[in-house]
Structures are given as C-alpha cells and as structure tokens.
Amino acid sequence: MTDTTPINDKISLERQGQIALVRIDNPPVNASGQAVRQGLVEAVEAANADPDVKVIAIYAAGRTFVAGADIREFGKPPKAPALPDVCNQIEASAKPVISVLHGTALGGGLELGLATHARIGITGLRVGLPEILLGLLPGAGGTQRAPRLIGMANTLDMALSGRQVKAEEALAWGLIDRVETGDPRAVALAAAAEVLAGTLATRHTGDLTATRDEAALKAARAMVAKKMANVASAPLCIDAVARATGPVADGMTFERQSFMEALKTPSGKGMIHAFFAERAVAKIPEAGATPRPVAKIGVIGGGTMGSGIATAALLGGLEVRLIEVAEDVLERGRATIEKNLDGAVKRGKISEPKRDAALARLAPSTDMQTLRDVDLVIEAVFENMEVKKQIFAKLDAICKPGAVMASNTSYLNINEIASATSRPQDVLGLHFFSPAHIMRLLEVVVADKTAPEVVATGFALGKALRKIAVRAGVCDGFIGNRILAHYGKVIMYMLMDGANPDEIDAALEGFGLAMGPFKVGDLAGLDIGWAERKRRAPLRPAEERYIPIADRICEQGWFGRKTGQGWYLYDGGEIRPNPEAQAIIDEERAKAGITPRRFTPEEIVDRFLTAMISESARVVADGIAQRPIDVDAVFLFGYGFPRFRGGPLHHADQIGAAKLIARIEAYAKEDAHFWQVPPLLTTLAKTGGSFAALNTGD
Ligand code: 3H9
C-alpha cells in the first residue's frame, strides 16, 4: 500500500509497501533546524512502529540534501532534540535506515548520513565537514563516525580544510557506498528495494573500529600550529578525532562539549558573523528590480585595474572589448590579461582550453566606437574628474540605449561623473579591488539618479564574476577607502611619534591582518597614495596634523616593490626595513622636535582599530553603508581583515562602545581634531545598543 503522512511542515513519511520514505523539505538548503530534527525522530519512530515497514530511506527535496545544522540557531538556547541525539537514534534504529545524498551534504547533513546504515550519493554530490570555516568542529558524530569509515587522515583532511569532496572521491574513500544517477526519491526507492532483496548491504558505522593514525594526528597538529593558530576549534577537532578509537558515545560526549565550547569562542562568533556577512550584503532595496542582461562588456583603460577587471569578466564567461588610447598601451593591457589568465591556469583555477576560450572573447581596440553594442561599460582610467567626464560624455554618444555605464573610480563623485551624460539613471560606480581578478570585493556605488535595475545589474554582474558585491553610497572613498583614509592617518601619526614601519606591520599582522599596511603600500605602489594626498591637499583642514614622511619617500622615486624600495627593501633577498627610508623618518621626527617613544603592539592595534571603528560608525550613520555588517564585508573581502575577528564593527561590539569612547577621549588629549567620538557610538553606549542589533533592526 502507499500513503504519505506529513510528520510536520518539514518532514513527511511515505509508505511504499515495505519501504518507508522519509522526506526532508526545508528550503533553501534543508538545514537541520529544530523542526527537521524533531520530524526525523518521529518519522523513524513511526516507521519502526509500523509492522509492514522493513526498510527506511531518508532523502531530501529541492536542490540539496541537508547542508548542515541551521547556523541561525547557534548561540540561541538549544532546542531538543539535539542533532547528535537524532543521529544516534537513527543509527540505533532496529530497522535498516539508508540515506540518499544529493547536492551538498555538509556538516550536520553528512553526519546524518554517516549515522544511517548505507549512503547513496547522487552524481554531482559534494560532501564535507565545513564547520571549521565557521570556527567550529563537527558536533553530531562527524569526528567519531568518519574516521571509522575513512581513517583519521582523510577525516582530518576534510574537517580541517572544510573543503567539499566530490562524490567520486568520497566513494573511493568509502565514505559513501554508491553513486547513482536520478531523482533522489526514485533512487531512494530503488536502493531500499535492494536492501530488501539483499543486494545492498547495511551496517552500523558505530560498530566499526578506527585505527589511531599517529602520523596523521602529528601532521595535523603541526599544520594547525603553523597556519590555524587563530582558530580555537582546530586543536579541539584534532583531539576529538584522536578519540575515535574508543566507544562512539565517549567520543561524542567530548565532541559535543568541544562544539559547545567552540560556539562561545571569539573565533567561532567572528567566523559565523563572516558567513552571514558574505550573504547579508545581497539584501538591498533594489533586490526586486530585474537586472539588465549583460553578455558583452567594455573596459576602458588597460592599466592594472582595467586589465584586472577585463580578466575577471573573461573568467566570468563574458565577452570583453578593451579600449586604450594607443596601440602600444593597448598591447600592454592585452599582455597583462594574458598573463593574468596564465596565472589562473597555474593556480589550477581554469584549464588551458578555458584560458584559450577566454582570450578568444577579448577584443582589444583603440576605437571607442566598438562599444556601440556593449551591455555595460566600465571606465578604469586614472583618477581625474575632467578626463572621466569627457569619457562619459563620449559614452553617452556611443553606447546603445539601456547600456549600463560604470566608473571604477576609488574616490570620485559618481553624481558628477553621471552629470556628464544625458542618462544619469544608467550610471553607477563599480569599484573593484586590486588585483581585480582575485580580490572578491566589489563596491556597487549608487548615485542619486541610478535606476534600481541598474543597481540590480551591478549586483548580478558581481555574482557572475564571483565577487561579493556591497552597496555603497556616494562620498569621498565610498565605504572602504573612506575608512582607510581615516585610519591611514593614525598609522602615520604613530610612525611620526616613534613606531617604525616594521613594528606597526608586525603588531597588525599579530592582530590577524593578512598583511601590514606598510607592506600593502609597497605592494600597491606608494605613488597611488601620493597622488591621492595631493588631490586632497586643498581640502585638508588647517587644524589637521599632517605627516610628510610618505611624501618624502615618494619624492625619492621609491614607490615600493615596483621600484625595488619603499618602506622596505626588495633586492632579491629577504624583505627588510629600508635604512634610507628610516633615515627620512628620523629626520622628519627631529625636524618636528619629536622624541620618538615606544609603542607596544597592543597600543598600535588599539589606536588603529579605534580609528577604523570610528570612521566605520560614521559611514553607517551617514547611510554610505546600509548596515554595520556591510562595512564588515568590505573589510573582510577587500582589505584582508581577519575572518576570525568577524569584521571591524563585529569586533567593535566585542570591545564595547563605552570602552571605545574612553579610548577616543584619552587620545583626544593629544589631537582633539582627529579623535572625535562618533555620535552613533555615543548613542550605542547610552542605550546599551550594539552594531549587531543595527544589522537586524532590533
Ligand atoms: C554544522 O552542521 C554543525 C554540526 O556539525 C553540528 C550541529 C550540532 N544554516 O550560500 P547560499 C542560507 S555547521 C542556515 O547563498 P548557495 C544562507 O544564509 C553547518 N542558513 O546558497 C542563504 O540565506 P539567505 C555546516 C543557511 O547555493 C541561503 O541559505 N554547514 C545555511 O550558494 C542560501 O545560501 C555549512 O557550513 C545553514 N547551514 O550555497 C554549509 N546554509 O538567502 C553552509 C545556507 O537568507 N552553507 N544557509 O541569505 C553553504 O556552504 C552554502 O549555503 C551551500 C549552498 C553550499 C549549501
């Protein structure tokens, strides 16, 4: 007989003769939230209680099997039944339970599968234990059951990298029993019939034994000490896997305790915040607007930025027209793109045929008329308002109606650029970060007259280029560079007052920045900041403290790596502080009558962060960023802010508004112009509010 009973709104139980099919339906990714857990327990109990049922098969509706625990529940009071208990009850089922995995069976989803008595993967399946990417470790038996099936080395590989393992590899390891093609329900039915026929074996993973792999444990500990020192859950994960040789129940008790502990660690909270930041930025007021189709784009300017943007677009499958003023510069741009694509081949990102196909989609030209039929054009010439306005006026005359016209300016006013056209509704800022084909951040700058569908097109382009697009308003520097310009000053103040470049870099790298600011400057080219300071010079208030050291370095023609020296020396050996730059620093300090004082790494980090957070708060208050989490995303994905710290404003909540204000007030005694308490911080301190609450509107 056949009938389907809803257990609750996420789980249903279908009987097909002797087979009970348990269906999970919790879009979008079938996360194992409370209702899913409760429903699974009830469904398996009901199937066990039904004398006609001989075998139970679990599968999921929609695009994927369970992609993990419901991350939104983390940090809230736990609601029974807990996932480890659900998994244990499934494993203990008197009747055989099998699972059919499709899409991405990750974390708790894979753990659910491991607790069943056989696993069938559907072609295209990817499995993994990505908890480490959230600063956690598997918490529902993954560290105990996986080693029993695939050994400690493979388990540690999966659980410490968080990588998604393809079905074929999972099959070869023995993590899944078969790979089939078809619809999950049909595969579940067929596999269950095989269990009945005795052609598909079932077994309890918990009954298997795991062998201690001393070499794998040692290698994992060494790797974690070297590369993952900031992820508190990583050593706990290794400890849990090491316990897999004992009884499952004991190992799971340790695993559960460690999981709960990891949830409370700053790195756990920071990395979970980063997960949501990556996705929250897509929530924009224009999300309902239909993006315009984009297949063919134009890029004006073949310099570092233009060729990087063109590379990103080619990698995203688009046709690209590259425009330069003269044949020689055009050829240089084309060669850079080719080099970038070769680099992508070397890094294993694309195959050689894909590189060739990408290059074939590139059409370099010195004739702007070739932009007649492009869907979108990105101007990436040097930062000069007059030049940009001339280009936009030309584009207005050339581009087809409805073409989106974007500027990659890092600072300039998009409203003014748009005013050079007769169609300001089609103009926006698309601010890429160097190297544009690698850095994930894209600021989508919305000007006063930008049409909603043009904003939506910017976001759709970001997605096609695998970028993280963040909505920003118009101001000098938008979100990221406006904040950078502010904390850049505090770095210079500390330099002038006694902290040397390598000390500042070391302190901030110790905090977790991917690279210290002086190294970043040398890498990006010190001339970029120099030009920017010259542009801003007339705007600089008289009361602002100005440090001329960086200008003096640039005056020597030392622009960093590309000239062999900057703050550091690059002469083929180890990078080391540049003694000639140090001589200039010493000279400027003496000229200003400053006796250099010592800064502890802690003070360097505190001053840097306090400046960064202050300007971030102003950017939110001014509406330049929609929410604090957007600022966090900008710094996580564009400025190397450490993921385990969640972002500057997530970190600000950990410090607390009152403490930040106290710091600003103390620093203001030296420089009351620079150190001003942002009104938003005062409000948060007064009301006991937080940046996190502003994200959710609580
Ligand atoms: C775990 O399992 C712990 C256990 O060991 C122990 C427990 C006791 N929860 O990424 P997308 C949302 S830890 C809640 O854009 P895609 C996401 O926020 C977990 N929500 O789709 C977004 O929402 P919105 C281990 C989740 O197709 C929407 O779903 N698992 C979860 O590009 C679509 O997501 C993981 O870490 C979740 N687990 O990629 C896997 N997952 O539309 C995390 C997603 O409101 N997830 N959402 O912004 C992923 O890696 C990707 O989402 C996935 C799909 C590859 C599955």
Side-chain angles (χ1 to χ4, degrees):
M1 65 160 273
T2 145
D3 65 285
T4 302
T5 322
I7 301 287
N8 59 30
D9 63 345
K10 314 281 185 208
I11 303 290
S12 59
L13 181 63
E14 179 188 355
R15 259 159 283 209
Q16 287 279 355
Q18 296 180 315
I19 298 168
L21 292 176
V22 179
R23 173 182 148 109
I24 305 170
D25 190 2
N26 184 25
V29 297
N30 285 315
S32 62
Q34 197 276 337
V36 168
R37 300 194 300 271
Q38 181 69 39
L40 280 172
V41 169
E42 288 177 23
V44 172
E45 270 172 7
N48 266 293
D50 184 337
D52 294 339
V53 169
K54 298 282 182 275
V55 56
I56 304 161
I58 302 176
Y59 74 98
R63 66 189 211 227
T64 180
F65 190 72
V66 177
D70 189 336
I71 302 169
R72 289 163 308 179
E73 287 182 358
F74 293 168
K76 297 187 181 148
K79 283 193 195 145
L83 192 60
D85 299 334
V86 176
C87 290
N88 288 341
Q89 284 181 45
I90 290 173
E91 185 164 58
S93 161
K95 295 178 184 174
V97 185
I98 62 168
S99 52
V100 171
L101 316 179
H102 77 289
T104 40
L106 303 175
L110 177 60
E111 292 173 302
L112 197 60
L114 296 179
T116 65
H117 308 144
R119 288 154 296 283
I120 317 295
I122 291 193
T123 318
L125 167 74
R126 285 167 182 266
V127 297
L129 295 171
E131 290 86 346
I132 198 76
L133 305 176
L134 300 167
L136 305 174
L137 67 154
T143 65
Q144 303 305 303
R145 292 194 176 97
R148 286 171 156 79
L149 285 165
I150 61 172
M152 290 189 176
N154 291 333
T155 304
L156 288 166
D157 164 17
M158 263 206 306
L160 291 175
S161 68
R163 76 181 173 98
Q164 293 184 10
V165 176
K166 287 185 183 158
E168 298 70 31
E169 194 176 359
L171 181 69
W173 279 354
L175 192 62
I176 56 175
D177 300 285
R178 278 188 190 180
V179 179
E180 305 271 3
T181 304
D183 148 73
R185 182 182 168 280
V187 171
L189 209 51
E194 284 209 43
V195 175
L196 289 174
T199 52
L200 174 62
T202 57
R203 62 181 177 180
H204 288 208
T205 311
D207 291 346
L208 308 173
T209 51
T211 315
R212 190 172 173 86
D213 184 340
E214 207 50 66
L217 290 165
K218 203 172 154 212
R221 283 192 211 288
M223 187 279 284
V224 162
K226 200 165 158 212
K227 296 194 183 149
M228 299 175 77
N230 293 317
V231 184
S233 64
L236 295 173
C237 179
I238 302 174
D239 290 348
V241 170
R243 279 174 163 75
T245 48
V248 173
D250 292 358
M252 280 183 72
T253 305
F254 178 84
E255 182 198 69
R256 179 82 183 150
Q257 279 165 358
S258 305
F259 181 82
M260 299 310 274
E261 198 180 313
L263 271 180
K264 291 192 210 124
T265 58
S267 50
K269 288 184 181 154
M271 290 166 90
I272 290 171
H273 181 78
F275 175 86
F276 284 118
E278 190 171 338
R279 288 155 179 86
V281 290
K283 297 190 169 55
I284 51 164
E286 297 83 1
T290 309
R292 296 181 188 163
V294 174
K296 212 178 279 176
I297 75 161
V299 176
I300 304 179
T304 312
M305 281 317 291
S307 47
I309 294 168
T311 309
L314 292 168
L315 288 170
L318 303 180
E319 262 183 65
V320 178
R321 306 270 160 82
L322 179 74
I323 305 291
E324 257 298 355
V325 283
E327 288 298 339
D328 55 338
V329 269
L330 182 66
E331 171 48 28
R332 237 179 286 147
R334 197 207 56 79
T336 309
I337 295 168
E338 192 170 349
K339 205 177 91 207
N340 290 343
L341 290 171
D342 285 345
V345 173
K346 276 198 200 106
R347 291 196 312 278
K349 296 277 171 205
I350 50 164
S351 62
E352 289 194 14
K354 278 225 166 110
R355 185 240 355 241
D356 296 344
L359 267 179
R361 287 195 298 274
L362 174 69
S365 172
T366 51
D367 181 4
M368 269 183 76
Q369 293 296 333
T370 56
L371 299 178
R372 268 184 316 268
D373 62 343
V374 298
D375 306 307
L376 182 146
V377 57
I378 303 172
E379 164 277 308
V381 306
F382 55 96
E383 296 284 41
N384 179 304
M385 180 56 89
E386 283 320 305
V387 174
K388 287 189 195 270
K389 280 168 91 169
Q390 280 166 22
I391 290 176
F392 273 76
K394 270 195 203 157
L395 288 175
D396 191 19
I398 294 170
C399 290
K400 67 181 182 186
V404 172
M405 300 190 281
S407 173
N408 175 55
T409 175
S410 323
Y411 290 92
L412 299 177
N413 189 325
I414 309 287
N415 286 319
E416 197 178 334
I417 295 175
S419 73
T421 73
S422 65
R423 31 178 156 165
Q425 72 280 3
D426 294 337
V427 178
L428 83 170
L430 288 177
H431 181 209
F432 289 79
F433 289 74
S434 185
H437 59 297
I438 293 177
M439 293 298 283
R440 298 199 65 205
L441 178 65
L442 172 66
E443 281 181 330
V444 177
V445 189
V446 182
D448 291 351
K449 294 187 181 155
T450 311
E453 68 271 19
V454 170
V455 180
T457 309
F459 273 78
L461 178 75
K463 199 163 185 193
L465 269 47
R466 300 217 186 88
K467 302 284 176 210
I468 292 165
V470 179
R471 189 186 193 282
V474 175
C475 69
D476 200 338
F478 317 127
I479 300 178
N481 281 346
R482 170 168 159 185
I483 297 168
L484 166 75
H486 190 71
Y487 69 73
K489 289 178 194 160
V490 92
I491 291 169
M492 285 300 137
Y493 298 159
M494 292 193 282
L495 176 72
M496 188 68 157
D497 293 340
N500 289 335
D502 58 324
E503 291 170 331
I504 295 178
D505 278 354
L508 295 174
E509 284 165 16
F511 170 76
L513 287 201
M515 206 187 250
F518 290 95
K519 285 190 195 145
V520 171
D522 274 0
L523 189 65
L526 299 178
D527 47 327
I528 295 177
W530 193 25
E532 191 42 38
R533 287 192 299 279
K534 284 184 199 156
R535 179 181 73 81
R536 281 174 190 243
L539 310 171
R540 196 181 309 131
E543 58 274 42
E544 184 176 310
R545 184 180 180 202
Y546 187 73
I547 309 297
I549 299 174
D551 298 345
R552 293 248 354 244
I553 305 271
C554 289
E555 282 159 16
Q556 318 303 312
W558 303 338
F559 296 154
R561 263 175 203 262
K562 62 185 172 190
T563 58
Q565 61 180 323
W567 301 108
Y568 295 89
L569 269 186
Y570 305 87
D571 51 4
E574 283 267 293
I575 310 178
R576 54 189 197 284
N578 182 355
E580 292 186 272
Q582 188 61 45
I584 292 180
I585 296 168
D586 294 340
E587 214 178 286
E588 287 299 326
R589 285 173 182 163
K591 234 195 262 173
I594 290 170
T595 313
R597 73 171 177 90
R598 215 186 104 64
F599 284 76
T600 62
E602 197 189 0
E603 182 176 3
I604 292 170
V605 170
D606 284 354
R607 283 179 181 254
F608 168 85
L609 280 177
T610 308
M612 183 187 241
I613 291 166
S614 298
E615 194 63 10
S616 299
R618 291 185 196 106
V619 158
V620 172
D622 292 353
I624 297 300
Q626 295 185 93
R627 296 151 299 211
I629 202 166
D630 295 69
V631 175
D632 287 341
V634 164
F635 279 87
L636 288 169
F637 301 110
Y639 292 80
F641 197 90
R643 201 175 165 93
F644 72 93
R645 303 228 189 241
L649 292 179
H650 173 81
H651 192 67
D653 278 347
Q654 320 307 308
I655 301 171
K659 198 164 169 188
L660 285 162
I661 291 173
R663 273 189 204 165
I664 297 171
E665 286 171 348
Y667 301 151
K669 295 197 180 106
E670 303 156 12
D671 182 348
H673 171 73
F674 182 80
W675 292 107
Q676 295 185 31
V677 178
L680 177 56
L681 219 45
T682 309
T683 311
L684 294 185
K686 272 197 191 135
T687 58
S690 65
F691 288 108
L694 296 179
N695 288 326
T696 52
D698 291 348

